[in-house]
Amino acid sequence: MGQLIKGKPAADAVTVHLIEEVKNLKRKNIIPKLTIVRVGKNGSDMAYERGATKRCNSIGIEIAIKELPEDISQQSFIDELKKINEDSTTDGIMVFRPLPKQLDEDIIKHLIDPNKDVDCFNPLNMSKLLEDDNSGFSPCTAAAVIEILDYYKIKIEGKRVVVIGRSMVVGKPLSLLLLNRNATVTICHSRTQKMENICSQADIVVVCIGKSKIINKSYIKSGAAVIDVGINVDTNGALCGDVDTENCIEKVGMITPVPGGVGSVTTSILAKQVVMACKRQNNI
Amino acid sequence: MGQLIKGKPAADAVTVHLIEEVKNLKRKNIIPKLTIVRVGKNGSDMAYERGATKRCNSIGIEIAIKELPEDISQQSFIDELKKINEDSTTDGIMVFRPLPKQLDEDIIKHLIDPNKDVDCFNPLNMSKLLEDDNSGFSPCTAAAVIEILDYYKIKIEGKRVVVIGRSMVVGKPLSLLLLNRNATVTICHSRTQKMENICSQADIVVVCIGKSKIINKSYIKSGAAVIDVGINVDTNGALCGDVDTENCIEKVGMITPVPGGVGSVTTSILAKQVVMACKRQNNI
């Protein structure tokens, strides 16, 4: 029987550490601050925002929400973003994506101050992942996967890791983070042939494709660690991951549940990167 | 017996196509121009420069060499680069790397005009590879590997490809180019365990580690395509690749020789990207 590894203990460990860090900063009269930019009232954005607010409050990070109208023009959005870039009290900025269609992400992504870009929206930070330059920021979900692996002492170096999915928010940056940690990484995707064969060689399988319970035990090597990044709604209306956890639990070494797995760690990573941004901006 | 696939026919095919393109441009009074920036008189830089000059001349691309003193200061280098960026007759810029130690590549790479950056020095172009955005440029050697695969009709989509080596000039960008072409890519490196086992599952193996003849037939699946990017000098003083070609030739489907393989294609890719840059800058 495999071990169900929950996100909460990993998130709590990060939080405990950050509380100490923020205390030390406050002694120097520095208060880390995150500004969240949300366009419209998307339900899942607002749910994430509540989670992030709660997490930041518990750590002592100040949080500001900039809600912008759903039909905001490109120029008005850019003006607002520039104001936040220039706001010296803001250390970290997170912009909910995807943005509405009238806003051109390919232009906007270059305009967020890379030093405040705590969710790795700006290509300059993305290219730092590629260069194994840790002076930037990682996308929070990708970094949350690494945090869980580290918390549960799952060795990355030298291990065979299969990442299923190649999105710009999880699959690709996560593959780079794993490569930078000296894993031997294979990226699988919709065009991959014989995926079961490839996956079942992996010591660690990370699934981030966004399809309900699509990965079963035939993809998993006995004893492997499985990290499920998917958050889907199953036919009964319940939350589920990309992995059929029940089907796999007997075979895996460890597996993250959905809900309660990777998703529980992302806001702590966001907070971690806000504190990191704050320290860098204050040369600490 | 595997087929030795040479670079020259692939390079010639690119050249023939470019000659036509440049003729068409000249009818519009547009002459593509490459400016090469070389600091000092490094032998291999100068050899590459001669090859690039010959190639560009044969195509009708104008070429300018900016030779700068070995001990040039950071500020003087930046001033020179800015002049070339602003020179409206220059469509493409190639800077020989690595630069001497007094020059900070981490600063300079951001300063080359991304629209003229035909060897993908600027991180903005590197991040476009990650985003599968083909409005940028690829590192010439990485793109030369793709050119050879295409010329010899070696299918990439859906195939298992192992890239051995993770440098910023070949291994990483090539892995992204292959992923963008829907290959299932595994990146191996010095910390990879059981590399023979992993490589010998691949339909295509690309070797770019810079160690003489380190890959023998035990790493290769029967009938696989092997692309050897290494250029080394063996114990007899002769040029050789990273692959022991003699040892592998019986087992492979196709293999590139060294010399005469990938290296023969890079200058044609450079020329191709100069013409591409020229057309974009003229909105053609």
Side-chain angles (χ1 to χ4, degrees):
Chain A
M1 184 78 174
Q3 186 191 350
L4 207 60
I5 49 173
K6 297 201 171 180
K8 190 171 182 300
D12 288 347
V14 173
T15 299
V16 165
H17 180 71
L18 290 177
I19 287 170
E20 279 310 302
E21 290 229 73
V22 171
K23 266 189 199 159
N24 287 334
L25 288 169
K26 286 189 178 166
R27 276 189 208 111
K28 294 173 179 146
N29 292 316
I30 296 167
I31 303 173
K33 179 177 162 188
L34 168 67
T35 297
I36 290 181
V37 179
R38 171 167 49 80
V39 180
K41 292 175 183 298
N42 177 290
S44 69
D45 289 356
M46 290 175 77
Y48 187 89
E49 189 178 291
R50 283 191 296 273
T53 302
K54 201 174 149 193
R55 178 80 62 187
C56 286
N57 285 339
S58 77
I59 291 168
I61 295 171
E62 206 176 305
I63 194 159
I65 312 291
K66 187 75 197 174
E67 185 184 321
L68 298 169
E70 181 71 37
D71 62 352
I72 189 168
S73 73
Q74 169 99 346
Q75 193 51 55
S76 302
F77 183 91
I78 290 172
D79 292 343
E80 292 292 346
L81 184 58
K82 282 190 176 161
K83 270 187 237 163
I84 302 168
N85 276 343
E86 285 159 16
D87 168 26
S88 65
T89 69
T90 289
D91 302 288
I93 304 170
M94 201 204 82
V95 178
F96 279 113
R97 289 169 274 163
L99 292 166
K101 282 183 185 166
Q102 78 276 15
L103 303 179
D104 187 344
E105 276 192 26
D106 279 341
I107 291 174
I108 289 166
K109 67 189 178 187
H110 294 284
L111 302 179
I112 187 169
D113 181 345
N115 298 313
K116 298 183 175 185
D117 177 30
V118 290
D119 196 26
C120 197
F121 187 14
N122 192 315
L124 287 176
N125 281 318
M126 204 51 94
S127 74
K128 285 187 178 182
L129 295 184
L130 198 55
E131 293 170 31
D132 194 6
D133 170 352
N134 57 22
S135 71
F137 300 97
S138 306
C140 292
T141 304
V145 172
I146 302 287
E147 192 71 44
I148 288 182
L149 292 171
D150 284 345
Y151 180 80
Y152 287 101
K153 298 190 172 23
I154 298 165
K155 200 182 160 199
I156 299 172
E157 171 147 350
K159 295 299 171 189
R160 289 192 68 177
V161 183
V162 166
V163 175
I164 310 180
R166 51 172 165 175
S167 72
M168 279 300 286
V169 283
V170 192
K172 287 187 197 178
L174 176 59
S175 298
L176 295 171
L177 289 171
L178 290 161
L179 178 64
N180 294 343
R181 291 283 296 272
N182 295 320
T184 300
V185 181
T186 303
I187 308 172
C188 292
H189 46 78
S190 55
R191 311 294 180 87
T192 294
Q193 294 168 7
K194 298 180 187 164
M195 204 195 298
E196 291 184 20
N197 174 272
I198 297 170
C199 285
S200 57
Q201 296 177 39
D203 303 303
I204 301 170
V205 178
V206 185
V207 193
C208 42
I209 34 179
K211 290 188 179 172
S212 296
K213 299 183 184 177
I214 203 165
I215 300 300
N216 60 43
K217 64 184 175 188
S218 67
Y219 290 81
I220 308 298
K221 183 171 81 172
S222 186
V226 179
I227 310 292
D228 188 353
V229 183
I231 300 183
N232 315 291
V233 178
D234 72 11
T235 45
N236 302 319
L239 280 184
C240 72
D242 294 346
V243 180
D244 186 341
T245 317
E246 273 179 46
N247 180 276
C248 292
I249 187 79
E250 293 283 348
K251 196 173 184 187
V252 300
M254 296 180 179
I255 188 168
T256 59
V258 176
V262 176
S264 339
V265 183
T266 49
T267 58
S268 67
I269 298 294
L270 179 66
K272 186 178 174 178
Q273 300 205 110
V274 173
V275 172
M276 202 189 284
C278 174
K279 286 168 75 180
R280 286 180 191 160
Q281 281 155 48
N282 288 284
N283 297 311
I284 296 171
Chain B
M1 183 79 174
Q3 186 192 348
L4 208 59
I5 50 172
K6 296 202 172 180
K8 190 171 181 300
D12 288 347
V14 172
T15 299
V16 165
H17 179 72
L18 290 177
I19 287 171
E20 280 309 302
E21 290 229 72
V22 171
K23 267 188 199 160
N24 288 334
L25 289 170
K26 285 188 179 166
R27 278 190 206 109
K28 295 173 177 146
N29 292 315
I30 296 167
I31 302 173
K33 181 177 162 188
L34 168 68
T35 296
I36 290 181
V37 180
R38 173 168 47 79
V39 180
K41 292 175 184 298
N42 177 290
S44 70
D45 289 354
M46 290 175 78
Y48 187 89
E49 188 178 289
R50 283 191 296 276
T53 303
K54 203 174 149 192
R55 178 79 63 186
C56 287
N57 286 339
S58 77
I59 291 168
I61 295 170
E62 205 176 303
I63 193 157
I65 312 290
K66 186 75 198 176
E67 185 183 322
L68 298 170
E70 182 71 37
D71 62 352
I72 190 167
S73 71
Q74 169 100 345
Q75 194 50 54
S76 303
F77 182 91
I78 290 172
D79 292 343
E80 293 291 347
L81 184 59
K82 282 191 176 159
K83 271 187 233 162
I84 302 168
N85 275 343
E86 285 159 15
D87 168 25
S88 64
T89 70
T90 289
D91 302 289
I93 304 171
M94 202 204 83
V95 178
F96 278 114
R97 290 168 274 164
L99 292 166
K101 281 185 187 163
Q102 78 276 13
L103 303 179
D104 187 345
E105 278 192 22
D106 279 340
I107 291 173
I108 289 165
K109 67 188 177 188
H110 294 284
L111 302 179
I112 187 169
D113 180 344
N115 299 313
K116 299 185 175 184
D117 176 30
V118 291
D119 196 26
C120 197
F121 187 14
N122 191 315
L124 287 177
N125 281 317
M126 203 52 93
S127 74
K128 285 186 176 182
L129 295 184
L130 198 56
E131 293 171 31
D132 194 7
D133 171 351
N134 57 22
S135 71
F137 301 97
S138 306
C140 292
T141 303
V145 172
I146 302 287
E147 193 71 43
I148 288 183
L149 292 171
D150 284 344
Y151 180 80
Y152 287 101
K153 299 192 172 15
I154 299 164
K155 200 182 160 198
I156 299 171
E157 170 148 352
K159 295 297 171 188
R160 288 193 67 175
V161 183
V162 166
V163 175
I164 311 179
R166 53 174 163 174
S167 72
M168 279 301 286
V169 283
V170 193
K172 286 187 196 177
L174 177 59
S175 299
L176 294 172
L177 290 172
L178 290 161
L179 178 64
N180 293 343
R181 292 282 296 271
N182 295 320
T184 300
V185 182
T186 304
I187 308 172
C188 292
H189 46 79
S190 55
R191 311 294 180 86
T192 293
Q193 293 169 6
K194 299 181 188 165
M195 204 194 299
E196 293 185 19
N197 173 274
I198 296 170
C199 285
S200 57
Q201 296 178 37
D203 305 302
I204 302 170
V205 178
V206 185
V207 193
C208 42
I209 34 181
K211 289 189 180 172
S212 296
K213 299 182 185 178
I214 202 165
I215 299 300
N216 60 42
K217 64 184 176 187
S218 68
Y219 290 81
I220 309 298
K221 182 171 80 171
S222 185
V226 179
I227 310 292
D228 187 354
V229 183
I231 299 182
N232 315 291
V233 178
D234 72 9
T235 46
N236 302 317
L239 281 185
C240 72
D242 294 347
V243 180
D244 185 340
T245 317
E246 272 180 49
N247 179 276
C248 292
I249 187 78
E250 295 282 349
K251 196 173 183 186
V252 300
M254 297 179 178
I255 187 167
T256 59
V258 176
V262 176
S264 336
V265 184
T266 48
T267 58
S268 66
I269 297 293
L270 179 64
K272 185 178 175 177
Q273 299 205 110
V274 173
V275 172
M276 201 189 285
C278 174
K279 288 169 74 180
R280 285 180 192 161
Q281 280 154 50
N282 289 282
N283 297 311
I284 296 172

